[in-house]
Amino acid sequence: MYKNGKILSVEEKQMKKVDIFTDGACSSNPGPGGWCAILKCDGVEKILSGSEKETTNNRMELTAVIKALDALKFSCIVTVTTDSKYVCDAVNQRWVYSWRDNNWRKKDKKPALNPDLWQLLLELLEKHSVTFCWVKGHNDHPENERCDALAVLETKNFKIG
């Protein structure tokens, strides 16, 4: 059995496979935000969502992935599908590892944003075998559309009137 072109170890062959779909939303940026994650494993689906009063879209995108991975009770082989290039590219292009290694500074020496969340994500990535896949948002991907709708709904928790 193969994953990402490498032969899986005995331990990895026994790990559960989980599909995670995530999205984050923010009403104004910064402003009230929401996030949603759909987890699918062995024909079972679980939906997680939440909100924050004052946040950014990127923080909500990261929070959705973090909450989903944190909900897994044991190490799993995970595919995360997200419409966030910010999250997907930072991991797949390994930028986040460079930011961490450079004391949360980017190549241009400016501070990397959201280091608290990136640190949490990196810790979770050590527990699981995770592949990130990008999907274009608002493009009729069923789980992405569901996540978007629930994340937007979560932003309304802090609307006045």
Side-chain angles (χ1 to χ4, degrees), residues 6-78:
K6 70 171 187 146
I7 297 174
L8 296 178
S9 68
V10 173
E11 294 81 19
E12 288 176 312
K13 287 179 186 175
Q14 296 171 350
M15 293 167 67
K16 290 271 188 194
K17 293 179 179 73
V18 180
D19 290 309
I20 295 175
F21 305 89
T22 65
D23 201 12
C26 200
S27 179
S28 68
N29 202 16
W35 59 269
C36 179
I38 299 172
L39 295 78
K40 292 185 175 187
C41 181
D42 294 336
V44 176
E45 179 178 284
K46 181 175 187 173
I47 298 174
L48 305 173
S49 65
S51 57
E52 290 186 21
K53 187 174 183 177
E54 185 73 14
T55 190
T56 65
N57 188 69
N58 284 339
R59 287 189 70 82
M60 292 293 88
E61 297 282 2
L62 275 165
T63 298
V65 176
I66 291 165
K67 295 289 191 177
L69 291 173
D70 194 47
L72 302 175
K73 295 182 176 20
F74 42 85
S75 294
C76 298
I77 297 173
V78 180

Side-chain angles (χ1 to χ4, degrees), residues 40 50 65 69 72 81 99 120-121 123 126 134-135 144 161:
K40 292 185 175 187
V65 176
L69 291 173
L72 302 175
T81 301
W99 300 339
L120 289 172
L121 180 58
E123 290 168 13
E126 290 179 16
W134 179 78
V135 63
N144 181 257

Side-chain angles (χ1 to χ4, degrees), residues 127-147:
K127 296 178 182 177
H128 306 284
S129 176
V130 183
T131 301
F132 283 82
C133 297
W134 179 78
V135 63
K136 185 175 181 177
H138 310 288
N139 204 35
D140 295 328
H141 184 284
E143 290 86 0
N144 181 257
E145 294 293 337
R146 287 174 61 203
C147 282

Side-chain angles (χ1 to χ4, degrees), residues 112-124:
L113 300 177
N114 307 308
D116 56 329
L117 295 179
W118 285 116
Q119 185 60 48
L120 289 172
L121 180 58
L122 289 175
E123 290 168 13
L124 289 163

